Amino acid sequence: MEINDLTAAEERVWRAFPKGEPVDFREGEAEADNPATGSDWGPERTVRASVLRALLLSAPQLAGEIPRLRLSGARVTGHLNLMYAIVDHPIHLRYCHFDEAPDLYGTRLRQLNLRGSVIPSVNLASTRIDGPLRMSRCRVRGPVRLGGAEIAGALFLDGAELTTSDPSVPVLQLHQSVLGDGFAAPGLRVRGETRLEGATVGGSITLDDSDLSNPGGHALCARSLDVRADIRARNLRTRGIVDLRGSRIAGSVDFTGARLSNPGGTALRASSCTIGELWLYRCEPIEGRLHLRRSRIDVLGFESGVAPGEVLFNNLSYTALNPHEPADRRLSLLERDGDGYVPYAYEQLAAAYRHGGDEGAARRVQLAKLRRHRATLPWLGRTWGHLQDTTVGYGFRPLRAAVWLLSLLAVGSIAFALRHPSPLNADEAPQFNPVFYTLDLLLPVISFGQEGAFAPTGGYQFLSYVLILTGWILATTVIAGVSRSVARQ
């Protein structure tokens, strides 16, 4: 394109480029400079996309100067096509209005800044950018395609608004992309699916105060995501599934104050994940299922009231559980597990209480596990379980055994004191002692020489059978409880 074919506005941009000087068409009036109304801007601030393409690919350079495209407040008309191009100059197109969607597929760029611009859509798939990509406060009315992109710096989408008229197409496409630094998007508004599947982020992801809405679908699809630092999503609002399945997050995933909603489905899925810390503090109650199957989490932090609906905790491993809550509140979660009775979930919860030094809560969890297991047994097993639970709490209530023994000892001693049983051999029988005779009946291992020397009759014989049977039950359950305690140690 010849220089004499340019309009006054384009010539201004053309002459500023070799020296890297800024060109700002804004007039300083908020309403007049709003890029949303940029289609009404006149020729005095209109630049053709073909001029920008020629400028970036073939404009003359000045010795000793660093060329840069620094354009603000312009209306860009036509199709900006830079597919597969190599652009060695930083591009700043801030607060601009694009009539047509730019196509930068497979482009190699130094830096790209589209801050505050209004764009129909943008194709940056498979692009390589040596620096950051800035799209802060952009308003995009179609897909933002960044699949397979390699960005050496950070991606900025803070305050951006992304929408689409086709709900079948993800609005923000970052699948299989590689970000050398972080992904900063506090205050991001997305109406449609945000896809980060298989992406690698060298820094942190920030979604504080963002709003991701795709009812009935994926609000955030981030399966197999690899984050070297943290995911900060405080006060995040989502409508749809947040899916982190198979992801690896070295630091924390912080949903403090978030509202996760997907009624009738899964609101948060973080299954088969490896996460340093997962925080669901001070959140509004999750509307939907909480799915954490098969994940490994060092620190799991959430209040029980955060997940009032169905949970899936099978094979979930964690070291510490915060905040400390009574066992009954945590147990109510396990009772709502969609997989039914999951023994591992009880063992993991007991281990977490034990790790925190609350042995009493750990025992309550173990007792709840055995009671839950009892409901899965046939009637004979349930009967035996009820008997063990009533007598000594499956061995976790050893004081009950002492109370039962003392009570039975008193009953037996009084009964046999009132009527001594007849000796089997009067010449060899020791002197009868009702207390030690009752102890001989109750304790199956210890013998005081009384039981074998005397033979009760009638109702007293039936009483002796009851004492023997009760003694065996108490001994068996106490020994089982002690064995479990020793095994856990």
Side-chain angles (χ1 to χ4, degrees):
M1 177 174 293
E2 298 294 336
I3 189 69
N4 52 13
D5 292 335
L6 303 179
T7 65
E10 293 168 347
E11 184 174 352
R12 182 179 169 187
V13 176
W14 192 278
R15 295 188 182 279
F17 173 79
K19 296 182 179 181
E21 296 175 345
V23 176
D24 193 344
F25 290 117
R26 291 176 293 177
E27 301 170 353
E29 299 179 9
E31 190 63 32
D33 291 332
N34 186 353
T37 61
S39 58
D40 297 329
W41 292 344
E44 72 282 357
R45 54 192 304 180
T46 298
V47 178
R48 287 170 290 172
S50 57
V51 174
L52 297 180
R53 185 177 190 277
L55 191 65
L56 292 169
L57 298 181
S58 58
Q61 301 184 24
L62 298 178
E65 299 291 346
I66 301 176
R68 283 187 294 174
L69 177 59
R70 302 172 64 189
L71 178 60
S72 302
R75 176 187 178 187
V76 179
T77 60
H79 181 210
L80 179 57
N81 185 354
L82 291 172
M83 286 182 62
Y84 303 111
I86 299 177
V87 180
D88 293 327
H89 321 298
I91 302 174
H92 293 204
L93 295 168
R94 302 166 67 245
Y95 303 103
C96 293
H97 178 94
F98 288 79
D99 283 358
E100 298 183 27
D103 193 347
L104 289 85
Y105 180 89
T107 306
R108 175 72 183 267
L109 304 172
R110 286 289 183 87
Q111 186 188 65
L112 180 60
N113 188 340
L114 298 171
R115 179 182 178 88
S117 293
V118 173
I119 313 171
S121 66
V122 59
N123 188 357
L124 286 160
S126 301
T127 298
R128 295 182 61 188
I129 302 177
D130 296 335
L133 170 58
R134 299 183 183 273
M135 297 184 66
S136 304
R137 308 190 72 81
C138 276
R139 278 167 285 181
V140 185
R141 299 183 296 274
V144 176
R145 294 182 172 90
L146 281 160
E150 296 183 22
I151 302 173
L155 170 61
F156 296 90
L157 275 167
D158 45 301
E161 296 182 9
L162 314 180
T163 60
T164 181
S165 57
D166 185 358
S168 64
V169 178
V171 182
L172 178 56
Q173 303 175 22
L174 276 162
H175 52 285
Q176 308 302 327
S177 60
V178 178
L179 308 182
D181 200 343
F183 174 29
L188 174 66
R189 300 289 183 271
V190 179
R191 297 296 176 264
E193 180 181 335
T194 297
R195 179 175 292 180
L196 279 80
E197 190 170 17
T200 301
V201 181
S204 295
I205 294 177
T206 305
L207 292 169
D208 293 347
D209 302 302
S210 294
D211 190 329
L212 311 180
S213 179
N214 188 27
H218 281 86
L220 174 61
C221 181
R223 293 188 289 258
S224 302
L225 176 67
D226 188 355
V227 180
R228 308 294 168 79
D230 305 320
I231 296 180
R232 285 176 48 97
R234 296 184 175 183
N235 301 314
L236 173 70
R237 298 291 182 266
T238 63
R239 286 172 292 279
I241 306 172
V242 176
D243 192 350
L244 299 172
R245 181 177 54 185
S247 294
R248 298 178 299 278
I249 295 94
S252 64
V253 179
D254 188 355
F255 286 109
T256 299
R259 181 180 180 182
L260 310 178
S261 175
N262 188 33
T266 298
L268 173 59
R269 179 171 186 174
S271 58
S272 303
C273 291
T274 302
I275 301 174
E277 302 175 4
L278 175 60
W279 299 100
L280 287 162
Y281 269 161
R282 297 187 294 275
C283 295
E284 296 188 27
I286 295 175
E287 298 180 20
R289 186 182 301 111
L290 175 60
H291 186 171
L292 300 178
R293 279 198 200 116
R294 299 179 301 280
S295 287
R296 299 178 62 86
I297 303 171
D298 289 337
V299 180
L300 179 59
F302 75 101
E303 297 112 336
S304 302
V306 166
E310 185 181 61
V311 299
L312 294 170
F313 286 171
N314 196 6
N315 286 315
L316 167 65
S317 300
Y318 49 90
T319 303
L321 183 62
N322 291 313
H324 187 276
E325 290 186 351
D328 291 342
R329 296 191 62 184
R330 298 292 187 187
L331 286 169
S332 66
L333 282 171
L334 305 189
E335 292 169 0
R336 297 196 301 274
D337 198 302
D339 292 328
Y341 168 60
V342 180
Y344 184 83
Y346 287 88
E347 292 292 339
Q348 182 62 69
L349 181 58
Y353 276 119
R354 198 170 293 114
H355 178 80
D358 193 343
E359 189 63 36
R363 287 195 298 269
R364 285 193 291 275
V365 173
Q366 292 283 352
L367 181 56
K369 173 195 169 186
L370 292 169
R371 288 171 174 168
R372 187 88 183 272
H373 174 65
R374 183 175 67 210
T376 66
L377 299 175
W379 71 269
L380 188 59
R382 291 198 301 272
T383 302
W384 175 243
H386 279 295
L387 189 58
Q388 293 185 84
D389 193 2
T390 302
T391 53
V392 291
Y394 285 100
F396 291 102
R397 300 287 188 266
L399 288 179
R400 286 188 187 178
V403 172
W404 277 102
L405 285 172
L406 290 174
S407 300
L408 293 171
L409 178 61
V411 170
S413 298
I414 294 171
F416 291 117
L418 294 174
R419 182 177 176 182
H420 294 190
S422 303
L424 293 175
N425 189 336
D427 296 333
E428 298 178 2
Q431 184 179 355
F432 180 76
N433 187 310
V435 175
F436 284 97
Y437 181 75
T438 306
L439 283 174
D440 250 356
L441 296 173
L442 284 172
L443 302 178
V445 178
I446 300 173
S447 176
F448 296 100
Q450 294 278 320
E451 180 185 358
F454 298 93
T457 59
Y460 287 89
Q461 186 178 29
F462 177 76
L463 175 60
S464 67
Y465 294 157
V466 171
L467 292 174
I468 292 171
L469 180 61
T470 307
W472 273 104
I473 293 174
L474 290 173
T476 302
T477 53
V478 168
I479 291 171
V482 172
S483 299
R484 282 192 293 267
S485 298
V486 172
R488 289 194 297 273
Q489 297 300 326

